[in-house]
Amino acid sequence: MSHSPERREFLGTLGLAGLLWLAGAAPGSAAQRAAGLRLGEPRPFSFEALTEQARRLAAAPYEPPYRPAPEIVQKIDYQTHGQIRFRAEDALFAEGPGVYPATFFHLGMFFPKKVTMHVVRDGAASEILYDPAYFDMPADSIARQLPQDAGFAGFRFQESRHRKDWKTQDWVAFLGASYFRAIGELGQYGLSARGIAIDTAVPGPEEFPDFKAFWIAPAPSEADPALVYALLDGPSLAGAYAFKLWRTEGVVMEIETRLFLRKAVQRLGIAPLTSMYWYSETDRDSAHDWRPEVHDSDGLAIWTGGGERLWRPLNNPPVPVTSSFVDKGPRGFGLLQRDRNFDHFLDGVHYELRPSVWVEPLDDWGDGAVQLVELNTDDEIHDNIGAFWVPAQASGPGVAYSFRYRLHWLADQPYPPKEIAQCVATRRGRGGEPGKPRPQGVEKFVVEFAGGPLEELDGDAKVTPVLDSSRGEISYVFVERIPGTRRWRVQFDLTAPGREPAELRGFLRLGKRPLTETWLYQYRPPAIARSANAG
């Protein structure tokens, strides 16, 4: 997981790096001038050639990426980096032919590795040669001491150059290891995606491969996608990536990845998402802040290969927790922000506007599992949530994978079910009946659902809750339509003595007809939290 300075100006404390000779320009080659940038000599380029380059790279020993002048880069801290701005007039495609100009990030202590950039036109690629003159910075900035070949850290696409504000507004950014993010339809950045996740939350260190080089092709019009190609490299694997990026009401990305392993990994995460969840109305006991809620995402949604819709509210557990949802041929999954009420956050950074991101497989992913990783955090500056697909296929040296999928950066999932309602709130408190002493060791749950067929039901409809727990006893169950609304809620008590978590599952039905998606929740008794905090 990443640990990133708030307010998402950075994407992680992990850097970018790398040099790649394929389709690049050799040092000292003749340079051309285009849209304010110096370019190397053009060389043939294709995604197939990039794939072969990744295959050959994986067959050779791993070489750590180049870090220019680390003693200087480490002094370019958050504040110093924020004072360094790429000159918009030098943006790639500032005057066409692409409709979305591309600007570039400077190196810094959080992004210390050089990333090679290329522009692709008519089947040929030219390296974009770094020049410190592309950046405005204070006269006394330590960054002025970097060598002339220091290079870029990442890039982003600005809004259409036909907009008057394009120089100050961007919609997608690639920065930090294999991290990238996009703006949602509500005008906000939030959670991030990654090219790959390797050994997240397993014994031993997590591995963060780098996008070592990018190739950027223009989008002829706002209806066309911008094209980006990337080379990934890390100790365990190398890979080639192709991105098609559409600026819609939010952002839609079509991604093809071809991966080649150098060695076995314990947990290979495909289409990984990384987010932040500190606390919400579900777990007010963990709140140590004045705001009612603080989170970029509040739940994991899954559409299984069998057609079931699942909703798992997020937790901030005292110890690392990995939940695995075994499936075959998943239809999609995502980390969503369903709470859109400003009064639930009261924060000027507008968590209620953070995007939801949905992963849509474009081919059969076979057997595997959607895995959710939840780490403890005591602040909003840490991304402590991860979700990804883990294929059942064993990994090892020489094993190759190929995946195609879309990422939808929207306000909600792109294919919401119309035939069932969604879970919109999970609340907890002390169990027992009103007016009577509250028993120890009994937890009360109130789960709310809205939309779908619930909109048409009268308050006296014979709605039945279906509830189950992996351990303990469920009691004091009743269901009702919430007065003054079209929402319904189910309330129940759980008695689960001991220290082990309890896995809860429930939905509402009318007769034999399901009315809602399936609500899942991992309840950790307070004794677990006390024990973990004591340790």
Side-chain angles (χ1 to χ4, degrees):
M1 301 294 197
S2 72
H3 301 270
S4 54
E6 189 58 24
R7 300 299 198 207
R8 296 302 191 258
E9 178 67 21
F10 293 121
L11 298 183
T13 61
L14 305 164
L16 289 169
L19 294 170
L20 179 70
W21 56 264
L22 175 66
S29 65
Q32 305 168 359
R33 188 79 179 179
L37 298 173
R38 293 189 304 118
L39 303 181
E41 295 291 347
R43 297 183 179 180
F45 174 81
S46 70
F47 184 48
E48 293 304 321
L50 182 62
T51 300
E52 288 305 309
Q53 172 68 8
R55 190 193 307 273
R56 291 193 298 270
L57 198 62
Y62 173 69
E63 295 184 9
Y66 170 58
R67 296 172 181 250
E71 71 283 358
I72 297 175
V73 172
Q74 284 304 306
K75 296 178 181 179
I76 305 176
D77 57 15
Y78 181 86
Q79 182 177 0
T80 303
H81 194 272
Q83 296 174 330
I84 303 172
R85 300 290 182 182
F86 188 87
R87 293 166 52 86
E89 54 267 35
D90 286 334
L92 181 66
F93 311 137
E95 299 178 1
V99 72
Y100 300 114
T103 59
F104 300 90
F105 291 103
H106 197 276
L107 296 177
M109 67 181 299
F110 298 105
F111 320 108
K113 307 170 191 175
K114 178 179 177 179
V115 182
T116 307
M117 301 290 174
H118 307 82
V119 59
V120 179
R121 296 178 183 171
D122 302 322
S126 300
E127 182 180 348
I128 301 170
L129 302 176
Y130 171 82
D131 190 328
Y134 298 149
F135 295 91
D136 288 327
M137 65 184 75
D140 60 350
S141 175
I142 187 69
R144 293 186 179 275
Q145 300 180 27
L146 288 172
Q148 289 293 313
D149 65 345
F152 305 104
F155 79 97
R156 57 188 168 188
F157 279 123
Q158 305 296 128
E159 294 284 10
S160 169
R161 59 187 173 84
H162 300 306
R163 286 176 44 163
K164 293 182 179 180
D165 63 349
W166 73 262
K167 294 182 179 180
T168 61
Q169 303 297 318
D170 56 299
W171 58 279
V172 67
F174 290 79
L175 181 64
S178 68
Y179 284 82
F180 56 97
R181 61 177 181 168
I183 200 167
E185 65 183 286
L186 301 179
Q188 276 270 8
Y189 280 112
L191 74 167
S192 301
R194 284 193 273 172
I196 199 71
I198 297 180
D199 291 344
T200 304
V202 303
E206 183 172 0
E207 181 181 320
F208 293 92
D210 297 291
F211 280 142
K212 299 179 65 172
F214 289 101
W215 291 260
I216 305 168
S221 74
E222 294 177 21
D224 297 303
L227 304 180
V228 175
Y229 305 91
L231 179 77
L232 182 85
D233 194 24
S236 297
L237 55 72
Y241 286 72
F243 297 82
K244 294 181 180 179
L245 312 175
W246 284 270
R247 182 67 170 106
T248 60
E249 66 273 16
V251 173
V252 175
M253 302 177 174
E254 188 170 307
I255 302 171
E256 181 174 358
T257 175
R258 300 172 183 177
L259 302 171
F260 306 94
L261 270 66
R262 283 192 179 92
K263 61 181 183 179
V265 300
Q266 297 182 62
R267 178 175 290 156
L268 182 67
I270 304 300
L273 305 176
T274 302
S275 191
M276 181 275 294
Y277 175 87
W278 189 6
Y279 61 88
S280 68
E281 78 275 355
T282 304
D283 52 358
R284 293 171 297 171
D285 290 344
S286 65
H288 301 288
D289 193 85
W290 63 270
R291 293 163 292 182
E293 302 185 37
V294 180
H295 51 79
D296 282 337
S297 307
D298 53 12
L300 169 69
I302 302 175
W303 189 5
T304 71
E308 185 177 16
R309 302 276 190 158
L310 307 176
W311 174 252
R312 165 64 153 75
L314 299 178
N315 283 321
N316 179 8
V319 295
V321 174
T322 300
S323 301
S324 189
F325 306 90
V326 177
D327 199 6
K328 182 176 183 179
R331 302 187 188 186
F333 66 92
L335 290 174
L336 310 185
Q337 183 79 313
R338 282 189 174 172
D339 195 332
R340 297 297 184 187
N341 190 328
F342 171 78
D343 293 341
H344 292 181
F345 299 94
L346 300 176
D347 195 320
V349 302
H350 293 291
Y351 283 113
E352 79 280 0
L353 301 180
R354 300 297 165 98
S356 296
V357 180
W358 182 258
V359 180
E360 177 191 2
L362 296 179
D363 42 28
D364 184 0
W365 284 9
D367 294 324
V370 175
Q371 293 195 351
L372 172 67
V373 173
E374 298 165 304
L375 306 180
N376 177 257
T377 187
D378 60 359
D379 206 326
E380 65 200 291
I381 67 172
H382 303 302
D383 282 339
N384 63 315
I385 302 296
F388 38 75
W389 174 256
V390 178
Q393 178 186 353
S395 70
V399 173
Y401 297 89
S402 179
F403 292 91
R404 295 173 57 250
Y405 56 96
R406 289 194 187 98
L407 295 182
H408 301 262
W409 305 74
L410 302 170
D412 196 2
Q413 60 199 74
Y415 310 112
K418 299 180 180 179
E419 69 283 1
I420 58 174
Q422 294 183 335
C423 178
V424 293
T426 300
R427 310 181 193 279
R428 287 170 45 194
R430 291 186 62 182
E433 299 183 35
K436 296 183 179 180
R438 298 299 174 98
Q440 294 293 322
V442 180
E443 194 82 4
K444 184 176 298 296
F445 288 84
V446 178
V447 184
E448 298 180 10
F449 298 92
L454 299 184
E455 295 286 337
E456 309 300 326
L457 291 183
D458 294 329
D460 58 356
K462 303 300 182 181
V463 174
T464 303
V466 180
L467 301 168
D468 182 61
S469 177
S470 62
R471 71 179 193 87
E473 178 182 355
I474 291 176
S475 62
Y476 193 52
V477 180
F478 73 91
V479 64
E480 65 177 351
R481 192 175 76 178
I482 301 174
T485 74
R486 306 304 297 182
R487 293 186 174 191
W488 285 70
R489 65 185 171 203
V490 57
Q491 175 178 309
F492 65 92
D493 285 357
L494 174 68
T495 305
R499 303 169 63 89
E500 294 299 318
E503 299 288 347
L504 302 174
R505 182 182 183 94
F507 63 94
L508 302 182
R509 70 184 181 190
L510 184 63
K512 295 183 178 181
R513 173 194 174 194
L515 297 174
T516 69
E517 64 187 359
T518 300
W519 169 84
L520 307 174
Y521 191 77
Q522 184 181 79
Y523 169 66
R524 304 180 66 82
I528 297 179
R530 287 196 296 270
S531 174
N533 292 334

